[in-house]
């Protein structure tokens, strides 16, 4: 079972993928499922959920910008309204979702949480591989922190374009993906995305802003 736990659709300001095409691309890549984690909304995940099959699962999520950096909520059923770190954590857990810290320690993007030991009790999973981390050291720091503090691991491509889907993720033998996330029962796989994709995302975000 292969899952990509971090993808973006057209409902992210810097994303382009149609949810239906994202599902088709993920299936073509041999994935068992994806989490659609658009910036500050679950709209992409809700839309993609319509295209699930008996062999492919869509997890509704969102990547929320907080006062400390971005936090992902997985298995959401409602929009996360607040923007302070602790309020976001509470909202996710109130939905029986999982709190994920994506691309921690990444200084280049300027949107990352830099977790401390006292934060561990609030974090369910830490993204130890993100395909869009330009420097491999960022993923290594995340892996070391998770290992040292017994935080469950997770991984994803952080895809903003269809071609990036499946470039990072996890493998699990569990057929219950919710339980697998709860246990961090994963082996990580992935390759780094080209930095060009980061630049194209910024151009897309600016272009969308001009059209509004």
């Amino acid at each position: 079972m292969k899952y990509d736990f971090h993808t973006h659709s057209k409902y992210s300001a810097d994303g382009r993928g149609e949810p239906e095409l994202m599902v088709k691309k993920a299936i073509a890549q041999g994935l068992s499922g994806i989490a659609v984690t658009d910036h500050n909304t679950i709209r992409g995940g809700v839309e993609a959920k319509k295209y699930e099959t008996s062999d492919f699962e869509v997890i509704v999520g969102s990547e929320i910008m907080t006062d400390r950096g971005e936090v992902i909520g997985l298995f959401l059923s409602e929009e996360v309204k607040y923007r302070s770190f602790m309020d976001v954590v509470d909202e996710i857990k109130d939905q029986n979702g999982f709190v994920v810290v994506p691309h921690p320690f990444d200084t280049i993007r300027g949107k990352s949480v830099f977790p401390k030991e006292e934060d561990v009790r609030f974090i369910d999973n830490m993204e130890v591989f993100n395909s869009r981390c330009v420097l491999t050291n960022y993923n290594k720091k995340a892996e070391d922190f998770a290992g040292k503090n017994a935080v469950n691991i997770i991984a994803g491509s952080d895809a903003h374009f269809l071609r990036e889907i499946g470039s990072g993720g996890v493998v699990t033998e569990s057929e219950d993906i919710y339980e697998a996330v709860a246990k961090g029962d994963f082996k990580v796989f992935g390759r780094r995305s080209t930095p060009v994709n980061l630049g194209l995302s910024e151009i897309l975000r600016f272009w969308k802003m001009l059209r509004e």
Side-chain angles (χ1 to χ4, degrees):
M1 305 283 282
K2 295 174 66 177
Y3 285 79
D4 183 344
F5 274 101
H6 190 166
T7 69
H8 295 270
S9 77
K10 67 178 184 179
Y11 292 104
S12 287
D14 51 359
R16 190 176 181 185
E18 291 284 347
E20 181 179 8
L21 295 180
M22 291 175 67
V23 170
K24 289 181 178 179
K25 177 66 174 180
I27 292 173
Q29 291 292 94
L31 297 179
S32 306
I34 57 171
V36 181
T37 54
D38 283 310
H39 295 297
N40 301 315
T41 184
I42 63 171
R43 290 176 66 192
V46 170
E47 181 67 22
K49 192 83 173 170
K50 298 175 183 177
Y51 304 103
E52 274 189 333
T53 71
S54 58
D55 298 317
F56 186 87
E57 184 171 1
V58 173
I59 297 158
V60 177
S62 180
E63 186 171 27
I64 305 109
M65 175 57 78
T66 76
D67 53 355
R68 290 186 56 190
E70 291 178 324
V71 172
I72 285 178
L74 295 177
F75 298 96
L76 300 180
S77 55
E78 299 176 3
E79 296 284 12
V80 174
K81 300 176 182 178
Y82 294 102
R83 292 296 178 261
S84 75
F85 178 81
M86 284 310 309
D87 285 338
V88 168
V89 167
D90 288 341
E91 277 198 82
I92 292 170
K93 291 183 179 292
D94 285 346
Q95 297 186 45
N96 294 317
F98 293 100
V99 175
V100 177
V101 175
H103 48 72
F105 308 112
D106 187 334
T107 59
I108 291 179
R109 282 183 271 193
K111 300 177 181 179
S112 300
V113 172
F114 285 71
K116 302 174 183 178
E117 289 187 9
E118 55 264 34
D119 297 321
V120 169
R121 66 186 185 276
F122 306 120
I123 300 169
D124 296 308
N125 301 77
M126 179 163 288
E127 195 177 65
V128 298
F129 182 83
N130 178 299
S131 294
R132 282 191 160 211
C133 282
V134 175
L135 301 180
T136 57
N137 188 47
Y138 298 144
N139 286 325
K140 182 65 168 59
K141 282 185 176 181
E143 184 178 12
D144 289 346
F145 183 93
K148 179 181 178 182
N149 294 282
V151 178
N152 289 339
I153 65 170
I154 206 163
S157 65
D158 201 355
H160 287 64
F161 302 104
L162 294 179
R163 60 178 174 270
E164 296 178 279
I165 293 173
S167 60
V170 299
V171 178
T172 180
E173 294 183 1
S174 176
E175 294 186 1
D176 185 333
I177 196 60
Y178 187 91
E179 182 180 346
V181 175
K183 294 180 178 179
D185 182 22
F186 298 129
K187 292 183 179 178
V188 174
F189 72 87
R191 64 184 186 279
R192 280 194 297 166
S193 180
T194 171
V196 171
N197 286 324
L198 279 75
L200 290 174
S201 292
E202 287 303 304
I203 292 171
L204 180 59
R205 181 180 63 82
F206 182 69
W207 179 72
K208 284 185 176 181
M209 183 178 66
L210 290 178
R211 292 186 64 190
E212 291 179 354

